[in-house]
Amino acid sequence: MIKMAAHCDFSSLELLMKASSKEKVVKVCNDVYVMGSSQSDGLLSSVCESLGTRPNETKKMIESLSSVLKTIIFHGYTEPQEIQSLFPKDFHKNLRDLITKIALDNMNTWKTHSISTQVSLPRLVDFDWRVDTKMASDSISRTSVPTCILQMKVQENQTDVKTTPENHNINVELSKETLDTMLDGLSKIRDQLSSVARR
């Protein structure tokens, strides 16, 4: 099995030893996994601040650490020996063991994060609805036309480690006919999802 971490610069990971505490290494690992790219100015700035390091060397470390952590999650390693086998034999033992422990402790959280962010589209956070009545008229009579006002709260993807993704409200007006079509489509989607889940 090809290991994605095979081509990373393991020596750059020793920059983590400049951290003043294990808690700061935990924070760096979590931030790097969540953001996953040294191209994020927010991530780079945050890690430099945590470690007291320069941007150029920190960028290389972020790329290598991201590669190692994603390899661990991708292959689903759950045993310390599996994770430790990724590192060169001459790699700093205490740092290797610390990264191993951090990865195992955060495995479930990082898996959940990967699943929730693998599609780069806004996510539905909440919704509300109400029935409204509009007056329609022609040359002969006036009639009441019921409509559904659907309000959806959607969350954008996180782009900066220091900020929380914004929520936006989207209001949609649906006629009875449009709502019937929508519910029919959602019912088919639900059935298909249930069918896939049973496999």
Side-chain angles (χ1 to χ4, degrees):
M1 182 178 292
I2 296 176
K3 297 176 179 177
M4 293 183 290
H7 303 293
C8 80
D9 181 3
F10 283 94
S11 63
S12 68
L13 296 180
E14 296 187 5
L15 206 64
L16 290 167
M17 296 175 65
K18 292 189 176 184
S20 59
S21 66
K22 291 181 180 180
E23 289 71 23
K24 287 197 173 183
V25 178
V26 172
K27 182 181 184 305
V28 169
C29 288
N30 187 64
D31 288 349
V32 167
Y33 188 85
V34 169
M35 297 306 296
S37 172
S38 59
Q39 302 303 316
S40 166
D41 291 337
L43 174 61
L44 188 59
S45 174
S46 174
V47 176
C48 285
E49 184 178 338
S50 294
L51 301 180
T53 51
R54 298 187 300 274
N56 286 344
E57 59 183 353
T58 304
K59 182 177 180 181
K60 184 179 294 185
M61 185 276 293
I62 289 174
E63 292 171 349
S64 297
L65 182 59
S66 177
S67 177
V68 170
L69 297 180
K70 288 183 177 180
T71 297
I72 294 169
I73 300 301
F74 178 81
H75 290 292
Y77 294 149
T78 56
E79 296 295 330
Q81 296 80 2
E82 293 177 314
I83 298 174
Q84 291 166 358
S85 69
L86 295 173
F87 296 86
K89 291 183 179 180
D90 59 350
F91 190 79
H92 194 284
K93 181 180 181 299
N94 291 343
L95 181 57
R96 181 201 66 189
D97 292 347
L98 178 57
I99 293 174
T100 297
K101 184 178 186 305
I102 292 171
L104 291 174
D105 289 346
N106 290 275
M107 180 76 67
N108 292 334
T109 301
W110 290 346
K111 280 184 177 179
T112 300
H113 172 78
S114 295
I115 292 171
S116 66
T117 60
Q118 63 185 349
V119 179
S120 57
L121 294 171
R123 294 188 299 122
L124 180 64
V125 176
D126 195 9
F127 73 94
D128 196 6
W129 60 272
R130 73 175 192 271
V131 173
D132 222 350
T133 302
K134 297 179 67 175
M135 298 302 297
S137 63
D138 54 29
S139 58
I140 301 176
S141 62
R142 292 170 61 86
T143 58
S144 297
V145 179
T147 62
C148 172
I149 306 299
L150 177 64
Q151 182 182 74
M152 296 176 288
K153 181 183 289 186
V154 296
Q155 184 184 71
E156 301 295 337
N157 278 348
Q158 186 170 9
T159 57
D160 194 309
V161 71
K162 290 186 174 181
T163 61
T164 301
E166 293 184 359
N167 291 333
H168 298 285
N169 291 326
I170 300 175
N171 295 319
V172 180
E173 183 178 29
L174 304 169
S175 67
K176 182 179 182 304
E177 293 75 15
T178 303
L179 183 60
D180 286 341
T181 301
M182 178 180 171
L183 292 175
D184 181 60
L186 290 174
S187 177
K188 292 177 180 177
I189 292 172
R190 180 192 59 195
D191 293 344
Q192 189 169 350
L193 288 175
S194 297
S195 175
V196 171
R198 287 195 296 267
R199 293 177 183 173

